[in-house]
Amino acid sequence: MDWTLHCDVCDVDWPADEVRYRCSCGGTLDVKHPFGDRALPSLDALDARRASRNAVDRSGVWRFREWILPLDEAHIVTRGEGNTHLYRAPERLAQWVGLENLWLKHEGENPTGSFKDRGMTAGVSVARWLGMQDVACASTGNTSASLASYAAIAGMRAWVFVPEGRVAFGKLAQALAYGATTLSVRGDFDDAMRLVQDVCADEGIYLLNSVNPYRIEGQKAIGLEILQDLGWRVPDWIFVPGGNLGNNAAIARALLDLRDHGFVDRVPQISVVQAAGANPLARAWRSGAAIEALRADTLATAIRIGDPVSAHRSLRGLRQTNGRVDDVTDDEILDAKAHVDAAGIGAEPASCASVAGLRKAVLAGEVDRDAEVVCVLTGHVLKDPGLVVDYHMSQLDGHPTPFANAPIPVDATPSAVRDAIRRARGA
Ligand SMILES: *Cc1c(COP(=O)(O)O)cnc(C)c1O
Ligand SMILES: [Zn+2]
């Protein structure tokens, strides 16, 4: 072990092999790597690992282990996460967004259907390395789904804290199915988050929320893999939805490290997109003031977060990549989702905030029409089937559904079916 846990606020290092999530000042901790003293693989070597017979080499996280965490293979708990598709946006979608050169990195293609698996393989592997038997998180859903799966594979007990009644069905189903002990907290996500942090230390449970520095390390692989997918060409922009703000911080960190060590010559600009009802970062960005917690409300449950844990490291990454922050309304998210879904790709609501935010930025002239842009789609379309069906049945209270594709009721006779086909074709 050659890394430490670093507090950016007081510039203090903590040892990596003790259970610690925050500095004594309360600040979040970052894993600090001595890259200069570590043998770093060439880009060709990283490409060769993709075809390896070794599952650890092939993992879209552990392939980059020198950049993420050079943990001994014996500790690694992997499901072959990452290796998600980088789609060139189908033409109709690209036109709607207003860009020629648009890519979609579909993190919903991870083993449990969201990018959280990238952080979780790192977090659960560290739990094994530290000898922990129990792991826990508070979650709007995807983190708990991922934790439940990786803990089961590692033979650990998973404790999941979810806000009662506010978790999309697909995600709750996963936590239960993978065998996590699920505490349905009468409160919102921020309440669940506070509670899990309170009890983990006393109960000997390893906390795997994004306050855990190793989750962020695993998520760095998204940025690395995007560049690898592009043959190590650096796009102009990466658009990412923002909730707890760990993901954008992780992507920025990875790409800055790669540049600082001479593997690429520049970094993309990073744009965080929040939901207008859960936008503490966007507010702070616009006003120039410090981030203030708020009561969050949005249909995009994965980013319904009012008090983001990783605000500090997020802002740092945004400044270092000449980034930007914006927010979009739920109706803008729903429109973007309808287009992403109908393009045949599909993603959960929060994911589509990236596409909605990009369209807004293009229309406002803040992103050039000839820029090469990657939108991160953070979760799978089936994570929130309730919202999808309500949208297409036009049953989303208070929200217009201009792109609804409702099923057509039809009698069980050939003539009724023929009539329905003619009507649907507009004949
Ligand atoms: C967790 C999550 C987010 C938010 O990511 P942060 O790192 O918390 O900003 C966005 N979309 C989906 C689908 C998620 O699961
Ligand atoms: Zn500190």
Side-chain angles (χ1 to χ4, degrees), residues 114-135:
S114 83
F115 75 82
K116 299 298 198 296
D117 292 340
R118 298 203 190 239
M120 206 51 77
T121 185
V124 170
S125 298
V126 168
R128 180 182 269 180
W129 170 61
L130 292 170
M132 304 299 289
Q133 304 291 326
D134 288 42
V135 288

Short mmCIF file of all heavy atoms in Angstrom, two decimals, residues 114-135:
data_model
loop_
_atom_site.label_atom_id
_atom_site.label_comp_id
_atom_site.label_asym_id
_atom_site.label_seq_id
_atom_site.Cartn_x
_atom_site.Cartn_y
_atom_site.Cartn_z
N SER A 114 -26.16 0.67 -13.21
CA SER A 114 -25.76 2.08 -13.04
C SER A 114 -24.25 2.16 -12.82
O SER A 114 -23.59 1.16 -12.52
CB SER A 114 -26.49 2.75 -11.87
OG SER A 114 -25.83 2.45 -10.64
N PHE A 115 -23.73 3.38 -12.97
CA PHE A 115 -22.29 3.59 -12.77
C PHE A 115 -21.84 3.29 -11.35
O PHE A 115 -20.63 3.19 -11.09
CB PHE A 115 -21.89 5.03 -13.15
CG PHE A 115 -22.30 6.06 -12.14
CD1 PHE A 115 -21.52 6.30 -11.01
CD2 PHE A 115 -23.46 6.80 -12.30
CE1 PHE A 115 -21.89 7.23 -10.06
CE2 PHE A 115 -23.85 7.75 -11.37
CZ PHE A 115 -23.06 7.97 -10.25
N LYS A 116 -22.79 3.17 -10.42
CA LYS A 116 -22.42 2.93 -9.03
C LYS A 116 -21.57 1.67 -8.88
O LYS A 116 -20.78 1.55 -7.94
CB LYS A 116 -23.66 2.82 -8.15
CG LYS A 116 -24.55 4.06 -8.12
CD LYS A 116 -23.84 5.27 -7.56
CE LYS A 116 -24.79 6.39 -7.11
NZ LYS A 116 -25.59 7.00 -8.19
N ASP A 117 -21.70 0.73 -9.83
CA ASP A 117 -20.91 -0.50 -9.75
C ASP A 117 -19.41 -0.21 -9.83
O ASP A 117 -18.59 -0.96 -9.29
CB ASP A 117 -21.29 -1.46 -10.88
CG ASP A 117 -22.70 -2.01 -10.71
OD1 ASP A 117 -23.22 -1.97 -9.58
OD2 ASP A 117 -23.27 -2.47 -11.71
N ARG A 118 -19.05 0.86 -10.52
CA ARG A 118 -17.62 1.17 -10.64
C ARG A 118 -17.04 1.59 -9.29
O ARG A 118 -15.92 1.21 -8.94
CB ARG A 118 -17.41 2.30 -11.65
CG ARG A 118 -17.86 1.93 -13.05
CD ARG A 118 -17.14 2.81 -14.02
NE ARG A 118 -17.65 2.72 -15.36
CZ ARG A 118 -16.89 2.35 -16.40
NH1 ARG A 118 -15.62 2.05 -16.24
NH2 ARG A 118 -17.41 2.33 -17.60
N GLY A 119 -17.82 2.38 -8.56
CA GLY A 119 -17.35 2.76 -7.24
C GLY A 119 -17.46 1.60 -6.24
O GLY A 119 -16.64 1.47 -5.34
N MET A 120 -18.49 0.78 -6.46
CA MET A 120 -18.76 -0.27 -5.47
C MET A 120 -17.73 -1.40 -5.55
O MET A 120 -17.36 -1.97 -4.53
CB MET A 120 -20.18 -0.81 -5.68
CG MET A 120 -20.78 -1.39 -4.44
SD MET A 120 -20.69 -0.30 -2.99
CE MET A 120 -22.02 0.88 -3.34
N THR A 121 -17.27 -1.73 -6.75
CA THR A 121 -16.23 -2.78 -6.82
C THR A 121 -15.00 -2.32 -6.05
O THR A 121 -14.37 -3.12 -5.34
CB THR A 121 -15.89 -3.16 -8.28
OG1 THR A 121 -14.97 -4.25 -8.26
CG2 THR A 121 -15.26 -2.02 -9.05
N ALA A 122 -14.69 -1.03 -6.11
CA ALA A 122 -13.55 -0.52 -5.36
C ALA A 122 -13.87 -0.53 -3.86
O ALA A 122 -13.05 -1.01 -3.05
CB ALA A 122 -13.20 0.90 -5.83
N GLY A 123 -15.05 -0.04 -3.49
CA GLY A 123 -15.41 0.06 -2.07
C GLY A 123 -15.50 -1.28 -1.38
O GLY A 123 -14.99 -1.46 -0.27
N VAL A 124 -16.15 -2.25 -2.03
CA VAL A 124 -16.30 -3.56 -1.40
C VAL A 124 -14.96 -4.30 -1.37
O VAL A 124 -14.66 -5.04 -0.43
CB VAL A 124 -17.42 -4.38 -2.10
CG1 VAL A 124 -17.44 -5.82 -1.62
CG2 VAL A 124 -18.78 -3.73 -1.83
N SER A 125 -14.13 -4.08 -2.37
CA SER A 125 -12.79 -4.69 -2.35
C SER A 125 -11.97 -4.14 -1.18
O SER A 125 -11.26 -4.88 -0.50
CB SER A 125 -12.06 -4.44 -3.67
OG SER A 125 -12.76 -5.04 -4.75
N VAL A 126 -12.10 -2.84 -0.93
CA VAL A 126 -11.39 -2.24 0.21
C VAL A 126 -11.97 -2.79 1.52
O VAL A 126 -11.22 -3.07 2.47
CB VAL A 126 -11.45 -0.70 0.16
CG1 VAL A 126 -10.98 -0.09 1.48
CG2 VAL A 126 -10.60 -0.18 -1.00
N ALA A 127 -13.29 -2.97 1.57
CA ALA A 127 -13.91 -3.56 2.78
C ALA A 127 -13.29 -4.93 3.05
O ALA A 127 -12.98 -5.27 4.19
CB ALA A 127 -15.42 -3.66 2.60
N ARG A 128 -13.11 -5.72 1.99
CA ARG A 128 -12.49 -7.05 2.16
C ARG A 128 -11.04 -6.90 2.62
O ARG A 128 -10.59 -7.59 3.53
CB ARG A 128 -12.56 -7.80 0.83
CG ARG A 128 -11.95 -9.18 0.91
CD ARG A 128 -12.00 -9.89 -0.43
NE ARG A 128 -13.21 -10.68 -0.58
CZ ARG A 128 -13.49 -11.39 -1.68
NH1 ARG A 128 -12.67 -11.37 -2.71
NH2 ARG A 128 -14.59 -12.11 -1.75
N TRP A 129 -10.33 -5.97 2.01
CA TRP A 129 -8.94 -5.73 2.38
C TRP A 129 -8.81 -5.31 3.85
O TRP A 129 -7.90 -5.74 4.57
CB TRP A 129 -8.37 -4.65 1.44
CG TRP A 129 -7.03 -4.12 1.79
CD1 TRP A 129 -5.87 -4.82 1.88
CD2 TRP A 129 -6.71 -2.74 2.09
NE1 TRP A 129 -4.83 -3.97 2.21
CE2 TRP A 129 -5.32 -2.70 2.34
CE3 TRP A 129 -7.44 -1.56 2.14
CZ2 TRP A 129 -4.67 -1.51 2.67
CZ3 TRP A 129 -6.79 -0.38 2.46
CH2 TRP A 129 -5.42 -0.37 2.72
N LEU A 130 -9.79 -4.51 4.33
CA LEU A 130 -9.77 -4.05 5.71
C LEU A 130 -10.32 -5.09 6.68
O LEU A 130 -10.34 -4.87 7.89
CB LEU A 130 -10.59 -2.75 5.86
CG LEU A 130 -10.01 -1.50 5.17
CD1 LEU A 130 -11.04 -0.36 5.19
CD2 LEU A 130 -8.72 -1.05 5.86
N GLY A 131 -10.85 -6.19 6.13
CA GLY A 131 -11.39 -7.26 6.98
C GLY A 131 -12.78 -7.00 7.51
O GLY A 131 -13.18 -7.59 8.52
N MET A 132 -13.55 -6.12 6.86
CA MET A 132 -14.90 -5.81 7.33
C MET A 132 -15.89 -6.90 6.88
O MET A 132 -15.77 -7.45 5.79
CB MET A 132 -15.37 -4.46 6.78
CG MET A 132 -14.46 -3.29 7.11
SD MET A 132 -14.27 -2.95 8.87
CE MET A 132 -15.89 -2.30 9.30
N GLN A 133 -16.86 -7.20 7.75
CA GLN A 133 -17.89 -8.21 7.44
C GLN A 133 -19.19 -7.57 7.00
O GLN A 133 -20.00 -8.21 6.32
CB GLN A 133 -18.19 -9.06 8.69
CG GLN A 133 -16.99 -9.74 9.30
CD GLN A 133 -16.45 -10.83 8.40
OE1 GLN A 133 -17.21 -11.50 7.71
NE2 GLN A 133 -15.14 -10.99 8.37
N ASP A 134 -19.44 -6.33 7.46
CA ASP A 134 -20.71 -5.66 7.21
C ASP A 134 -20.45 -4.36 6.45
O ASP A 134 -19.51 -3.64 6.79
CB ASP A 134 -21.41 -5.28 8.53
CG ASP A 134 -21.99 -6.48 9.26
OD1 ASP A 134 -21.30 -7.51 9.31
OD2 ASP A 134 -23.11 -6.36 9.78
N VAL A 135 -21.32 -4.07 5.50
CA VAL A 135 -21.20 -2.83 4.73
C VAL A 135 -22.58 -2.17 4.66
O VAL A 135 -23.61 -2.85 4.75
CB VAL A 135 -20.67 -3.10 3.30
CG1 VAL A 135 -19.20 -3.46 3.33
CG2 VAL A 135 -21.47 -4.19 2.61
#
